[in-house]
Amino acid sequence: MSASNLETRYRRLLRALPRWYREEREEEMVALFLEERDDSTDLEHGWPGWGETWATLGLAVRTRLDGGGVRVLAPGAVVRLVALLGLVGLSAEEVTAGVAQAVRWALGWPLVPDRQPHVGLLLAAALAALLAGRRGTAAVLAVVSALPGAWWFVSSAVQGDAARSTVTWALVSLPLWVTAACLVAGFHRDAPPPSRRTWTRGTAAVWLAGLALVPLELVTAASAVRPVAVVALLVVAVAHLVTSRPGGAWPSALTVCVLVLLPESVRVVLVAGVPDAGVRAVAVGRVVALVAVGVALGVTRARRRRLTPSPVPGSPTR
Amino acid sequence: MTEQTFLVLTALAEEPLHGYAIVRSVAALSEGRTRLRVGTLYGVLDRLVADGLAERDREEVHQGRLRRYYRITETGYRALSAEVARLSANVRAASGVLRARGLAGGAL
């Protein structure tokens, strides 16, 4: 059977889909597409149409982000987990800093400048909205929380400030930007919702653990180097490495979190110059913890890859 | 559950169907309001399979073209039942409000 021009054009459109998806589905999709397109003029001169084009491009985006349930490890699952971990860790950071600030105020101690309590409130509200099933609201709140950092970064670059200042804004804002971007990209309409029970409990645990760091915060003004998210990440990573089964989105998501937090941590230690010995110790500890988590994840992944057979691309998972 | 997902699952609840049969069944169930594009249908089917609500059935070759059938799972039946119950409760609530205002559509 020789292919019509319409079939050729449709197959060309399907190239927007990932290769592994086309290998699995192309013939099936072409057969369905041509079922109702049997007019000879249409077959010679027709094209798939705007509706089909948009539907195919939407499917291409979802399969690239989400895996469409066909692959064993879907990038979308990693993206969603990074968004959730970012919301929990960064909101815990601000809660801890806010409580410490309140205690300082109550004791009449000097307050730590440059706090951003509105960021913590926005992230907490975004997390609550996401767990309540309001994805659009969550995405708007997360993007709004990331805007001030983006504004300072852009204005710093436009005004020709020292390159160091511009890079600093980028590194400081990176965790927020990545969290907001992952939330927007990962939690699309057809994405599975996060477990409300699991993430509510996890958030409560991380926030309470953050409160345990308030004394450290009071003694060292450690909020200058933001240790809470790293400590939370360290605890979650150790728990994952000790208890989890191989596979899943956790190793990749934790690795992304390490890569997002590490540049700013290294910058503080190497470039910023921290005069206070206590803060410097916290800053160095933060880098050591991140490197340790990164190495442990890498070693574990390499070991499991040697022991686990590769999944067959295109085979259904469930 | 989106309306498209609901309609596809309803179509599969009758019998295992191939892609074109699903498109026709959804159009009939929705009285022509919903016409699934190929890209849209496979997005829905991927999600249903990933969530364990549907699974692949058999394959056939029809006029030289591949037809792959899909069937609903027990989990899919339960999810569909739950969604029907949820939508029915919404309809009852809305009907009650309309009936109280003496508007047509409240009759159920």
Side-chain angles (χ1 to χ4, degrees):
Chain A
M1 184 185 298
S2 64
S4 63
N5 288 338
L6 179 62
E7 179 178 337
T8 304
R9 290 175 189 126
Y10 185 61
R11 286 186 188 275
R12 202 172 292 148
L13 173 63
L14 292 182
R15 287 182 198 161
L17 297 164
R19 179 191 293 268
W20 58 266
Y21 193 90
R22 273 185 285 132
E23 287 172 356
E24 183 68 15
R25 282 275 166 77
E26 181 167 346
E27 296 310 317
E28 192 181 344
M29 294 178 77
V30 169
L32 172 53
F33 174 74
L34 293 174
E35 283 277 5
E36 287 188 325
R37 304 284 294 258
D38 53 2
D39 179 78
S40 58
T41 307
D42 187 29
L43 289 171
E44 181 67 20
H45 301 291
W47 79 293
W50 287 112
E52 199 59 61
T53 300
W54 284 119
T56 305
L57 294 178
L59 180 64
V61 171
R62 279 198 297 278
T63 47
R64 287 178 194 282
L65 276 176
D66 189 72
V70 179
R71 278 187 155 181
V72 170
L73 173 58
V78 177
V79 170
R80 285 189 287 278
L81 194 48
V82 169
L84 284 162
L85 289 171
L87 288 176
V88 173
L90 298 178
S91 63
E93 224 165 40
E94 297 299 336
V95 166
T96 304
V99 171
Q101 196 81 312
V103 172
R104 279 193 204 96
W105 177 80
L107 296 174
W109 294 6
L111 301 179
V112 173
D114 298 333
R115 297 307 318 163
Q116 301 184 70
H118 63 281
V119 171
L121 291 173
L122 287 167
L123 291 174
L127 182 59
L130 188 60
L131 296 181
R134 299 183 175 278
R135 300 168 187 205
T137 306
V140 169
L141 289 168
V143 169
V144 168
S145 76
L147 285 179
W151 164 253
W152 288 116
F153 168 72
V154 171
S155 63
S156 171
V158 168
Q159 290 169 12
D161 286 356
R164 179 182 290 184
S165 172
T166 306
V167 170
T168 299
W169 275 114
L171 295 181
V172 169
S173 305
L174 187 62
L176 256 181
W177 294 347
V178 170
T179 299
C182 288
L183 181 52
V184 172
F187 286 97
H188 50 81
R189 194 180 61 174
D190 290 328
S195 164
R196 192 178 301 175
R197 188 176 178 187
T198 302
W199 285 98
T200 302
R201 288 181 175 184
T203 304
V206 172
W207 283 22
L208 287 173
L211 293 181
L213 293 175
V214 167
L216 175 72
E217 163 86 18
L218 289 172
V219 172
T220 64
S223 60
V225 290
R226 307 164 71 87
V228 177
V230 173
V231 171
L233 181 65
L234 180 65
V235 172
V236 171
V238 169
H240 167 74
L241 290 168
V242 169
T243 63
S244 77
R245 293 175 298 172
W250 279 93
S252 300
L254 291 170
T255 304
V256 170
C257 291
V258 168
L259 294 175
V260 167
L261 291 170
L262 193 56
E264 162 62 5
S265 307
V266 171
R267 184 196 68 82
V268 170
V269 172
L270 295 183
V271 182
V274 183
D276 184 276
V279 176
R280 197 181 312 126
V282 174
V284 171
R286 195 171 64 153
V287 173
V288 171
L290 286 172
V291 170
V293 169
V295 169
L297 286 169
V299 169
T300 307
R301 173 174 289 198
R303 190 178 296 160
R304 283 175 176 168
R305 189 170 290 169
R306 281 202 303 273
L307 297 175
T308 309
S310 299
V312 178
S315 58
T317 56
R318 279 178 259 179
Chain B
M1 188 181 288
T2 64
E3 184 179 6
Q4 292 166 338
T5 305
F6 178 79
L7 289 170
V8 170
L9 213 48
T10 304
L12 293 178
E14 291 188 299
E15 59 178 330
L17 296 173
H18 55 77
Y20 184 52
I22 295 173
V23 171
R24 283 195 306 183
S25 179
V26 164
L29 286 167
S30 65
E31 297 177 338
R33 290 188 303 275
T34 300
R35 182 181 170 278
L36 291 174
R37 310 279 183 190
V38 181
T40 308
L41 171 66
Y42 281 96
V44 172
L45 284 174
D46 288 341
R47 178 51 51 208
L48 288 175
V49 172
D51 290 342
L53 305 184
E55 60 190 9
R56 290 184 186 177
D57 197 79
R58 63 190 186 279
E59 291 180 2
E60 288 178 358
V61 175
H62 174 73
Q63 295 180 349
R65 302 279 187 190
L66 175 67
R67 276 183 170 175
R68 183 174 281 149
Y69 285 70
Y70 295 84
R71 66 170 176 267
I72 191 170
T73 62
E74 284 304 314
T75 310
Y77 277 118
R78 283 198 295 275
L80 185 60
S81 298
E83 186 66 6
V84 167
R86 190 183 71 82
L87 292 173
S88 299
N90 287 347
V91 169
R92 280 196 301 276
S95 295
V97 171
L98 291 173
R99 207 163 37 239
R101 294 184 67 86
L103 296 172
L108 191 69

